[in-house]
Amino acid sequence: MLAHTSKRLTTRITDHVQEKLQAAADLVGATLNQFVVQAALEKADKVIESESTIVLTRRESLRLLELIENPPPRNEKFVQAQARYKRIKNGAGSTAK
């Protein structure tokens, strides 16, 4: 089953680049367009994953877990910010009714 396509991507490339891409597409039995789109999607997935993931060392992850389980005491600025957040949240909720 073919997916419905409605967008077009156009780019200019050198003969060398086109030849190389075509050779790779031929090796996997795909058209040049199919190959380029698949390669771009794979790269996009890697970029999105790498930008969406935080990598911590063992020491950092243990420290994070310690802070989650035993958070430091709340200082005055935190308490003020929390109260301001609750006021804004409650004020926004009451106007939506």
Side-chain angles (χ1 to χ4, degrees):
M1 182 190 276
L2 294 176
H4 176 70
T5 58
S6 61
K7 301 290 182 184
R8 178 178 295 270
L9 177 66
T10 305
T11 185
R12 294 185 186 276
I13 56 176
T14 64
D15 289 340
H16 172 72
V17 170
Q18 183 168 359
E19 290 167 6
K20 189 172 190 174
L21 292 173
Q22 185 64 60
D26 291 344
L27 288 171
V28 296
T31 67
L32 181 57
N33 282 340
Q34 290 168 334
F35 180 82
V36 169
V37 169
Q38 186 60 41
L41 284 171
E42 289 172 10
K43 180 66 175 183
D45 286 341
K46 287 180 183 179
V47 168
I48 291 168
E49 182 179 343
S50 71
E51 293 298 319
S52 304
T53 304
I54 298 173
V55 179
L56 301 175
T57 65
R58 178 173 167 74
R59 182 177 178 188
E60 291 167 335
S61 62
L62 291 173
R63 176 68 176 138
L64 178 60
L65 289 173
E66 175 63 28
L67 287 171
I68 290 170
E69 292 176 357
N70 302 301
R74 296 174 176 166
N75 63 23
E76 185 58 31
K77 285 194 176 218
F78 177 89
V79 173
Q80 290 172 359
Q82 185 178 37
R84 187 172 54 250
Y85 169 77
K86 286 181 180 178
R87 281 193 312 272
I88 292 169
K89 183 179 171 189
N90 291 336
S94 65
T95 59
K97 289 182 180 179

